[in-house]
Amino acid sequence: MAEIHGASPLASRAELLAQASVPGVLEISEVPFKAQITLRLDPKGAAAERVGTALGTTLPKQPGEVAVSGSVLVLWMGPDEWLLVGQEGAAEALQSTLADAVGAEHAAIVDVSAHRTIVDVAGSKAEELLNKGCALDLHPRSFETGRCAQTMLARAEVVLVRRHAAVPGFWVFVRSSFSRYLADWLADAATEYRRPSAA
């Protein structure tokens, strides 16, 4: 059954983010409606192995680790918690896959797709922009491609994922209720990168 969506959390900020972007330097946009499933289970149990087999990748075991299987990202969120991120409309299939793999063992599988939206921040100034409101060292030597972190950005709780290193690119997962605040902050913080208009 097709999923039906209303406006995305940042639909009202799409133009603002486009205006804050500077081609070749900074691109800011929403990545809406991704399937997001929280999984909690014993990482040492047989169910964790079965889930890994079903997904085609081992569940990350180290802080900040991200596993990739096709179009699905698996983010380490805690010793017994992961966030699976898939394509729009894939939440039900992901839940079913996880439930079949877990079987009768104790686990929690929750669709949290509506809980957060994603802001894509990319370009040569992406790290610099995010570091205006985030205390993490985002240099690729410290925060490599395929790493994630739960942190604060401009006083909002977010999950950061580094998507690319050569041309810095990040996904910023932010609660939908904080997303407009964060979009406004990003647009304001990006002001200095805009080229002045010709006189």
Side-chain angles (χ1 to χ4, degrees):
M1 185 168 113
E3 294 188 7
I4 300 173
H5 298 288
S8 69
L10 288 178
S12 65
R13 298 299 194 274
E15 185 176 348
L16 175 69
L17 294 179
Q19 291 173 348
S21 298
V22 180
V25 176
L26 190 63
E27 300 282 350
I28 310 173
S29 61
E30 183 184 19
V31 183
F33 306 132
K34 287 286 190 182
Q36 298 180 53
I37 307 295
T38 289
L39 169 66
R40 297 199 68 170
L41 52 71
D42 180 358
K44 297 180 181 178
E49 289 189 21
R50 293 197 301 270
V51 166
T53 299
L55 292 174
T57 184
T58 303
L59 290 175
K61 294 181 174 63
Q62 299 299 320
E65 189 178 354
V66 177
V68 182
S69 178
S71 61
V72 177
L73 299 180
V74 185
L75 281 57
W76 187 95
M77 301 292 282
D80 65 350
E81 181 179 1
W82 299 267
L83 178 66
L84 282 73
V85 184
Q87 298 294 337
E88 178 180 352
E92 188 174 335
L94 273 174
Q95 283 182 292
S96 179
T97 296
L98 294 173
D100 289 346
V102 166
E105 293 195 39
H106 180 70
I109 302 166
V110 182
D111 183 352
V112 294
S113 303
H115 182 63
R116 300 184 185 96
T117 192
I118 303 170
V119 181
D120 184 62
V121 181
S124 61
K125 294 296 184 181
E127 292 167 15
E128 185 176 302
L129 173 68
L130 294 175
N131 269 145
K132 290 183 178 186
C134 176
L136 291 181
D137 180 358
L138 298 179
H139 191 281
R141 284 194 300 267
S142 300
F143 196 65
E144 302 169 333
T145 300
R147 301 292 293 174
C148 68
Q150 299 179 72
T151 186
M152 302 294 289
L153 176 60
R155 295 183 292 182
E157 292 183 4
V158 301
V159 178
L160 288 180
V161 178
R162 178 182 276 279
R163 301 277 289 160
H164 310 286
V167 177
F170 299 84
W171 273 3
V172 183
F173 292 72
V174 59
R175 284 172 52 186
S176 296
S177 57
F178 278 87
S179 61
R180 288 187 295 252
Y181 158 77
L182 186 62
D184 291 345
W185 182 88
L186 287 167
D188 182 66
T191 301
E192 69 172 285
Y193 306 121
R194 296 176 204 158
R195 296 187 180 94
S197 302

